[in-house]
Amino acid sequence: MKLALFNGNRLGVVRGETIVDVTSALPAWDNGYMANFWLRLCHDFDTLRPRLEEAAQSGAGVPVSQVRLNAPVLNPTKILAAASNYGAHKEEMAARRDFTGHAAWLSEFDVFLKAPSSIIGPDDTVYLPDVGDREIHHESELAFVIGKTAKDVPAERALDYVLGYTILLDITVRGDGDRSRRKSYDGFTPIGPYVVTADEIGDPHNLHIQLWVNGQTKQDVNSGDMLVKIPEMISYASKVFTLNPGDVFTTGSPPGVGQIHAGDTMVTEIEKIGRMTNYVKAR
Ligand code: MN
């Protein structure tokens, strides 16, 4: 099932090129907290799925091209991100000279946080902040959404905690300084176009990931090249943080990262998920 948020956070189910508004199939949760309906949906998805499927079957759809898609996540308590998780990306980073010293920890797998306030949606624009002579780069990544509260989860059961998968661009200022700042400027986390539930993805480590800038291929890899796989990633992170339903976890950049400039158009595609376009402009 492909879940989308659109036209001001209506809930949609996408089938082919059609989107059906299934918002009215959600229960009237009495917490008065409609801003959190998405987190509640993630938490209760297994229970809600039959009624969403029924609404998607019986509802009249409209072409996806006629709606305004939003990021298919809402108010995550955190965005977790894997660092240094593709061998060839570690090599291209080690060759750069814009660090004042290439600290060993920068090349090791770890997880860090991106600010949820940096999220934008498909067709949205990344406005470049003034960062002097620093470069701002694209990183196209497979990301997933947590569906169950996860704490100290063993790797063998970790995939049970994944609701579905999506595309995430981890826009990054290169050079010195803390990752959480360099990757959390407003607009630095495009996510979309949909969350595709885990059952439709099958093996998340066999997906073609591609990114084009102005039509030119920049990143082109299979997610199977990840060094630390998703179950180990969840297990590791869940020893640090409680992973909450709706949290977003991005799996690290493949090689081929590069500078983006005002006027650029970025297109990212991940097999079985879809394709997302984002624009780059000066702030
Ligand atoms: Mn990244």
Side-chain angles (χ1 to χ4, degrees), residues 81-83 89 112 139 141 170 172 183 250 252-253:
H89 176 60
F112 61 91
E139 299 188 349
E141 306 188 7
D170 177 17
T172 302
K183 292 167 173 281
T250 190
S253 183

Side-chain angles (χ1 to χ4, degrees), residues 138-168:
H138 57 77
E139 299 188 349
S140 60
E141 306 188 7
L142 173 66
F144 57 90
V145 175
I146 294 291
K148 296 183 174 71
T149 305
K151 181 63 183 167
D152 295 329
V153 172
E156 305 78 65
R157 291 196 289 110
L159 287 180
D160 295 346
Y161 294 79
V162 176
L163 171 70
Y165 295 85
T166 190
I167 300 171
L168 186 148

